[in-house]
Amino acid sequence: MALTREQLAQRVAQEFQDGYYVNLGIGIPTLAANYIPDDMQVMLQSENGLLGMGPFPLDEEIDADLINAGKQTVTMIEGASLFCSAQSFAMIRGGHVDLTVLGAFEVDCQGNIASYMIPGKLIKGMGGAMDLVAGADNIIVTMTHASKSGQSKLLSQCTLPLTGKNCIRRVLTDLALMDIEGGKFILRERAPGVSVEEIINLTSGELTVPDHVPEMTV
Amino acid sequence: MALTREQLAQRVAQEFQDGYYVNLGIGIPTLAANYIPDDMQVMLQSENGLLGMGPFPLDEEIDADLINAGKQTVTMIEGASLFCSAQSFAMIRGGHVDLTVLGAFEVDCQGNIASYMIPGKLIKGMGGAMDLVAGADNIIVTMTHASKSGQSKLLSQCTLPLTGKNCIRRVLTDLALMDIEGGKFILRERAPGVSVEEIINLTSGELTVPDHVPEMTV
Amino acid sequence: MSGFDKVVTSYEEALEGLEDNMTIIAGGFGLCGIPENLIKEIKRKGTTGLTIASNNAGVDGKGLGLLLEEKQIKKMIASYVGENALFEAQMMSGELEVELTPQGTLAEKMRAGGAGIPAFYTATGYGTPVGEGKEVREFNGRHYILEEALSGDFAIAKAWKADRYGNLMFRKTARNFNPMAITAGKIAVVEVEEIVEVGQLDPDEIHLPGIYVNRLIQGTFEKTIEQRTVRKA
Amino acid sequence: MSGFDKVVTSYEEALEGLEDNMTIIAGGFGLCGIPENLIKEIKRKGTTGLTIASNNAGVDGKGLGLLLEEKQIKKMIASYVGENALFEAQMMSGELEVELTPQGTLAEKMRAGGAGIPAFYTATGYGTPVGEGKEVREFNGRHYILEEALSGDFAIAKAWKADRYGNLMFRKTARNFNPMAITAGKIAVVEVEEIVEVGQLDPDEIHLPGIYVNRLIQGTFEKTIEQRTVRKA
């Protein structure tokens, strides 16, 4: 079975390590914050100028001056800090954030990512995504493995305008966890109940399948 | 008579305008702070990270954490602000300081300045001087007109390594106030009792002398 | 003797000298920390042909969205413009020129504009449409593109508290682009919630020194929330 | 679960991993805001062949002057080195390599090193010995030189107050180069006068977020004054 949004978030959370500073994109990545293990501290960076983002506020705690990068009202945890956008992206561009998780439209086996623009259709802008993919060594892209019509999103070459070139090393889809190495996808884990054949069929870019591909634990 | 140090400082202070942010170099420039007119507010920038420098402290006010760029203990005026060196030089390099006053070994009629190094003899470093001369539109260089042995310091071309190229427009010496325009020194004022001839004799670079050269008021 | 007192008492005075076809650098992220009254004054003035650099373009009827209604903006330099139907319509019709700039690059371009750095290299945007036509250079085996500084005839920004000399403090994530935007404006106009007397702010706690501020005005703010999200007690 | 607690309890632990021939970025201006105990620990360790970037090189017997005594420094990157006879002697004899860097360029190079900016243009130093061998480029009719970022294996710095997560506050002009130095170190070690519990610092008043800090230690400081100047009451 393909992973649900919650299961994707759970699997993302398995990448967290104690003491990690993490930037989570809008959508599924943000959900991963709900699955931080109890014996672990992870601090969330919001690129609009907050390190140490907490949960959504109680109704009476709402503060228009305290939002996240998705413009949602949020809170701060103890030990949080606030700063300007230049400092925030100094942190990101300078490689000080330990893990970045974000969504995409397409990823290819060169590590290219397209996530911000569908020409003639969707022109919203890249926000902080280009800085995030250029600044982080450790990035996980989360997305569905294929479009609703069954077109693979894991390509030999991205077809949409790129957000970043040769910067993605790990992709988590609803079907599989894959690394990108030497111009190939490498199948690391499959979603529970999903066969290797199904993943091969829905992966358009070159794919290496090790002898043993364990099921994810979610 | 050649101007005294105090008179030089007084003449420098005549360049101040109400609301000016000013960076004063070590030596005579610093003395100019003593001659800020009573009906005028001038704020002193110290490039180690202080805007709004006050007078030296009383003995009981001394604070090792509060010094100026000459490493002297200082105080802050009301309305002062503190910041890091990157911010301090963003201010300087970005042209936000209204007036910079600094000393020099030599100035030439191309607006070049040499102030930080005598090869084989004095190698202390440029500190913030190169940033100051590159960042300010409005700079006054103060120095003696000639060396003790009578060698002019106002040259057609600097002989010492440069602190900045083509950046000086105004020089105040113990004998004269001069502007630099179109590759020439222009004599604007002479020290009380100093003749135009004396200035001409001690100025090595090309000098334009207007018909009327008033005496300074100091 | 006005000295360093930056306070003006009307929004008209705050934006005196703003003319058609000028460039404005604006602070704010979404509708958070935007100079909302200064934007309203630009609408009232009717200044047109503006180039505006701001992370976002407001929403319909709020923030910079107000200036889109009257077609006062000729060009937007922004990182994300997804919340504004009017914006999309004007962009698609070609009435509005748009220069999409990555958020961190935009922040750094503003900072550079204020700090006398004419250009810098960044890996952000290399190999993407953002990098097209820009110089590429390798440092330590990695590719970077050259980005130039941004500065404007005016900066408009919002801070929380200021003293009369224009020393500024910001509040929470309403800080965002405001400090850099201010440094990048030839005439920097800042509106704040509270102006205190000189000497009331701790010099160590000032976020941006008053040297960057030309005009200061106290206003009242709507502070519209874009995405009101709460949790249950 | 150590999480974000950066506190170490000995100077030995604070500089664990510092080896011969490494590069260190150091905070401080003159003797103000220098990491004096970390410097003493480097002397005790006897690490040699060091390249150190710091605005100044201490004075005889104080600050980085301590490391000159033992000839532990191979190369200094500094803007002003005029207070140190030992320094001058070692430089003149060729034992010590010196790269004189304008103060503002040095600050910006450290900031760039921490911020992922590999290089930037500045007018500072154009047409001077500092510009020799560096690329010159014109922007808007003015000449600028290309300066590259600085970063180090270690950063050593001094702050005033910190929480256990390494969120830092500096005091008065002891801030100087410390924030940028910290961002430019692969391992950033900060000594402070006081460590408080997490939650004690106002997030809006933190000068540098703890994300840049790897190790934090509380020390006691001599705070030598170089030029004690007073006025009469």
Side-chain angles (χ1 to χ4, degrees), chain B residues 47-50 55-59 61-73 75-76 82-86 89 93 116 120-121 123-128 130-131 134 161-165, chain D residues 29-30 32 56 79-83 91 100-105 107-108 122-130 142 171-177 179-180 193 223 225-233:
Chain B
E47 65 264 30
N48 56 319
L50 167 60
F56 294 138
L58 296 173
D59 201 63
E61 288 174 335
I62 280 189
D63 184 340
D65 287 342
L66 187 57
I67 64 170
N68 65 16
K71 282 103 177 177
Q72 297 171 309
T73 45
T75 56
M76 295 186 281
L82 295 153
F83 35 83
C84 68
S85 301
F89 283 92
R93 205 191 302 103
Y116 85 103
K121 192 170 161 198
I123 308 179
K124 288 173 181 282
M126 68 294 283
M130 282 194 184
D131 304 281
L162 298 185
T163 307
K165 197 170 160 67
Chain D
F29 182 94
C32 182
N56 314 90
S79 89
Y80 191 80
V81 293
E83 328 282 10
M91 180 171 61
L100 286 178
T101 304
Q103 198 174 141
T105 297
E108 193 68 13
T122 175
T124 302
Y126 164 69
T128 78
V130 165
R142 206 171 163 206
R171 188 170 174 278
K172 299 188 178 173
T173 57
R175 192 180 323 184
N176 56 62
F177 281 81
M180 293 84 68
E193 297 179 44
K223 294 195 186 182
I225 293 173
E226 276 184 78
Q227 304 284 341
R228 189 183 184 90
T229 47
V230 294
R231 73 176 195 279
K232 295 262 162 60

Side-chain angles (χ1 to χ4, degrees), chain A residues 86-199:
Chain A
Q87 177 65 278
S88 183
F89 283 92
M91 224 172 257
I92 289 168
R93 205 190 302 102
H96 303 278
V97 173
D98 297 298
L99 175 67
T100 288
V101 187
L102 78 172
F105 301 141
E106 297 173 347
V107 168
D108 70 29
C109 50
Q110 302 304 322
N112 299 323
I113 172 173
S115 67
Y116 85 104
M117 188 189 191
I118 299 174
K121 193 170 161 196
L122 184 78
I123 308 180
K124 287 172 182 282
M126 68 294 283
M130 282 194 184
D131 304 280
L132 283 159
V133 298
D137 284 330
N138 190 4
I139 305 171
I140 303 172
V141 171
T142 61
M143 59 181 193
T144 55
H145 208 98
S147 68
K148 280 175 189 159
S149 60
Q151 296 293 308
S152 176
K153 296 178 173 181
L154 297 159
L155 307 174
S156 56
Q157 195 165 358
C158 288
T159 64
L160 295 169
L162 296 186
T163 307
K165 197 170 160 69
N166 193 17
C167 54
I168 306 302
R169 300 281 163 272
R170 181 157 270 209
V171 184
L172 175 68
T173 73
D174 53 343
L175 302 185
L177 177 74
M178 295 177 155
D179 286 339
I180 300 173
E181 281 174 30
K184 293 174 191 167
F185 293 110
I186 320 244
L187 183 57
R188 294 296 183 202
E189 299 177 13
R190 56 204 166 82
V194 171
S195 70
V196 167
E197 286 64 37
E198 194 175 341
I199 293 165

Side-chain angles (χ1 to χ4, degrees), chain D residues 8 18 26 42 45 51 67 74 81 83 108 110 146 158 162 168 204:
Chain D
V8 298
L18 178 69
I42 296 172
K45 276 172 85 88
T51 295
L67 306 186
K74 184 179 69 184
V81 293
E83 328 282 10
E108 193 68 13
M110 290 182 188
L146 183 67
K158 194 251 168 197
L168 302 180
D204 262 323

